[in-house]
Short mmCIF file of all heavy atoms in Angstrom, two decimals:
data_model
loop_
_atom_site.label_atom_id
_atom_site.label_comp_id
_atom_site.label_asym_id
_atom_site.label_seq_id
_atom_site.Cartn_x
_atom_site.Cartn_y
_atom_site.Cartn_z
N LEU A 251 98.62 54.79 92.21
CA LEU A 251 99.17 55.46 91.09
C LEU A 251 98.35 56.61 90.66
O LEU A 251 97.23 56.51 90.25
CB LEU A 251 99.37 54.47 89.91
CG LEU A 251 100.10 53.24 90.18
CD1 LEU A 251 100.05 52.35 88.95
CD2 LEU A 251 101.45 53.51 90.75
N GLY A 252 98.89 57.87 90.87
CA GLY A 252 98.18 59.01 90.48
C GLY A 252 98.90 59.87 89.32
O GLY A 252 100.05 59.56 88.92
N SER A 253 98.17 60.85 88.93
CA SER A 253 98.73 61.76 87.89
C SER A 253 99.94 62.61 88.23
O SER A 253 100.80 63.04 87.43
CB SER A 253 97.60 62.55 87.41
OG SER A 253 97.26 63.45 88.37
N ARG A 254 100.12 62.73 89.61
CA ARG A 254 101.25 63.48 90.05
C ARG A 254 102.41 62.62 90.68
O ARG A 254 103.44 63.19 91.00
CB ARG A 254 100.81 64.68 91.01
CG ARG A 254 99.91 65.62 90.44
CD ARG A 254 99.44 66.66 91.44
NE ARG A 254 100.61 67.43 91.92
CZ ARG A 254 100.56 68.41 92.87
NH1 ARG A 254 99.39 68.62 93.47
NH2 ARG A 254 101.61 69.02 93.28
N GLY A 255 102.17 61.38 90.86
CA GLY A 255 103.01 60.54 91.52
C GLY A 255 102.36 59.26 92.08
O GLY A 255 101.22 59.08 91.81
N ALA A 256 103.13 58.52 92.80
CA ALA A 256 102.67 57.24 93.29
C ALA A 256 103.07 57.12 94.77
O ALA A 256 104.10 57.61 95.25
CB ALA A 256 103.27 56.10 92.57
N TYR A 257 102.18 56.50 95.58
CA TYR A 257 102.46 56.14 97.05
C TYR A 257 102.66 54.67 97.07
O TYR A 257 101.63 53.96 96.76
CB TYR A 257 101.35 56.69 97.88
CG TYR A 257 101.57 56.23 99.40
CD1 TYR A 257 102.59 56.79 100.13
CD2 TYR A 257 100.61 55.39 99.98
CE1 TYR A 257 102.74 56.38 101.46
CE2 TYR A 257 100.83 55.01 101.33
CZ TYR A 257 101.81 55.51 102.06
OH TYR A 257 102.10 55.07 103.30
N VAL A 258 103.72 54.24 97.74
CA VAL A 258 103.95 52.82 97.90
C VAL A 258 104.35 52.55 99.33
O VAL A 258 105.28 53.28 99.99
CB VAL A 258 105.00 52.29 96.88
CG1 VAL A 258 105.22 50.78 97.16
CG2 VAL A 258 104.75 52.67 95.54
N VAL A 259 103.63 51.64 100.10
CA VAL A 259 104.03 51.11 101.33
C VAL A 259 103.93 49.59 101.51
O VAL A 259 103.04 48.94 100.84
CB VAL A 259 103.10 51.85 102.35
CG1 VAL A 259 101.66 51.47 102.23
CG2 VAL A 259 103.67 51.63 103.76
N HIS A 260 104.93 49.20 102.15
CA HIS A 260 104.87 47.61 102.53
C HIS A 260 104.65 47.36 103.91
O HIS A 260 104.64 48.28 104.73
CB HIS A 260 106.25 47.04 102.02
CG HIS A 260 106.64 47.10 100.65
ND1 HIS A 260 106.98 48.16 99.99
CD2 HIS A 260 106.49 45.96 99.66
CE1 HIS A 260 107.15 47.82 98.65
NE2 HIS A 260 106.88 46.50 98.47
N GLY A 261 104.22 46.03 104.20
CA GLY A 261 104.01 45.68 105.47
C GLY A 261 102.63 45.89 105.94
O GLY A 261 101.88 46.54 105.23
N LEU A 262 102.29 45.55 107.14
CA LEU A 262 100.91 45.56 107.59
C LEU A 262 100.83 46.68 108.90
O LEU A 262 101.96 46.74 109.52
CB LEU A 262 100.36 44.29 108.17
CG LEU A 262 99.94 43.22 106.98
CD1 LEU A 262 99.61 41.98 107.65
CD2 LEU A 262 99.05 43.81 106.14
N ASP A 263 99.77 47.22 109.04
CA ASP A 263 99.59 48.08 110.17
C ASP A 263 99.75 47.20 111.41
O ASP A 263 99.44 46.00 111.43
CB ASP A 263 98.12 48.54 110.29
CG ASP A 263 97.70 49.23 111.45
OD1 ASP A 263 97.42 48.68 112.32
OD2 ASP A 263 97.78 50.53 111.38
N GLY A 264 100.51 47.79 112.49
CA GLY A 264 101.04 46.93 113.53
C GLY A 264 99.99 46.71 114.71
O GLY A 264 100.34 46.07 115.59
N GLN A 265 98.73 47.28 114.58
CA GLN A 265 97.79 47.26 115.69
C GLN A 265 97.46 45.87 116.01
O GLN A 265 97.27 45.51 117.27
CB GLN A 265 96.65 48.15 115.46
CG GLN A 265 97.01 49.57 115.41
CD GLN A 265 95.70 50.43 115.09
OE1 GLN A 265 95.01 50.84 115.97
NE2 GLN A 265 95.52 50.69 113.79
N GLU A 266 97.13 45.04 115.05
CA GLU A 266 96.80 43.64 115.38
C GLU A 266 97.77 42.86 116.13
O GLU A 266 97.59 42.20 117.01
CB GLU A 266 96.38 42.84 114.04
CG GLU A 266 95.95 41.51 114.22
CD GLU A 266 95.50 40.74 113.13
OE1 GLU A 266 95.23 41.40 112.03
OE2 GLU A 266 95.35 39.39 113.12
N ASP A 267 99.02 42.86 115.63
CA ASP A 267 100.16 42.26 116.27
C ASP A 267 100.20 42.73 117.79
O ASP A 267 100.53 41.96 118.69
CB ASP A 267 101.55 42.43 115.60
CG ASP A 267 101.50 41.62 114.21
OD1 ASP A 267 100.71 40.76 114.24
OD2 ASP A 267 102.48 41.94 113.43
N ALA A 268 100.11 44.09 117.95
CA ALA A 268 100.16 44.72 119.29
C ALA A 268 99.09 44.18 120.25
O ALA A 268 99.27 43.81 121.35
CB ALA A 268 100.16 46.16 119.14
N LEU A 269 97.84 44.07 119.64
CA LEU A 269 96.66 43.49 120.46
C LEU A 269 96.97 42.05 120.76
O LEU A 269 96.77 41.67 121.93
CB LEU A 269 95.40 43.65 119.60
CG LEU A 269 94.95 45.10 119.60
CD1 LEU A 269 93.80 45.19 118.39
CD2 LEU A 269 94.37 45.59 120.94
N ARG A 270 97.52 41.27 119.82
CA ARG A 270 97.76 39.82 120.01
C ARG A 270 98.78 39.67 121.19
O ARG A 270 98.86 38.67 121.84
CB ARG A 270 98.24 39.24 118.66
CG ARG A 270 97.22 38.85 117.70
CD ARG A 270 97.79 38.38 116.49
NE ARG A 270 96.94 38.01 115.44
CZ ARG A 270 96.35 36.85 115.25
NH1 ARG A 270 96.66 35.78 116.15
NH2 ARG A 270 95.44 36.59 114.31
N ALA A 271 99.77 40.62 121.25
CA ALA A 271 100.78 40.64 122.22
C ALA A 271 100.36 41.11 123.62
O ALA A 271 101.14 41.22 124.56
CB ALA A 271 102.05 41.45 121.78
N GLY A 272 99.12 41.56 123.67
CA GLY A 272 98.54 41.98 124.97
C GLY A 272 98.61 43.50 125.20
O GLY A 272 98.18 43.97 126.32
N ARG A 273 99.15 44.25 124.27
CA ARG A 273 99.10 45.66 124.37
C ARG A 273 97.72 46.23 123.98
O ARG A 273 96.91 45.57 123.48
CB ARG A 273 100.14 46.35 123.43
CG ARG A 273 101.63 45.91 123.75
CD ARG A 273 102.58 46.61 122.80
NE ARG A 273 102.35 48.07 122.89
CZ ARG A 273 102.68 48.93 121.99
NH1 ARG A 273 103.04 48.46 120.75
NH2 ARG A 273 102.44 50.24 122.08
N THR A 274 97.44 47.44 124.49
CA THR A 274 96.21 48.02 124.17
C THR A 274 96.35 49.58 123.85
O THR A 274 97.45 50.10 124.01
CB THR A 274 95.19 48.13 125.42
OG1 THR A 274 95.68 49.08 126.48
CG2 THR A 274 95.30 46.69 126.06
N PRO A 275 95.37 50.27 123.39
CA PRO A 275 95.55 51.65 122.92
C PRO A 275 95.82 52.42 124.23
O PRO A 275 96.32 53.71 123.94
CB PRO A 275 94.09 52.05 122.43
CG PRO A 275 93.66 50.62 121.89
CD PRO A 275 94.09 49.68 122.90
N ALA A 276 95.76 51.95 125.43
CA ALA A 276 96.13 52.82 126.51
C ALA A 276 97.62 52.88 126.85
O ALA A 276 98.10 53.71 127.54
CB ALA A 276 95.57 52.22 127.82
#
Side-chain angles (χ1 to χ4, degrees):
L251 305 180
S253 60
R254 298 181 61 186
Y257 173 69
V258 182
V259 64
H260 290 76
L262 290 177
D263 176 275
Q265 293 177 91
E266 179 174 347
D267 285 345
L269 287 166
R270 285 176 179 268
R273 296 182 59 208
T274 76

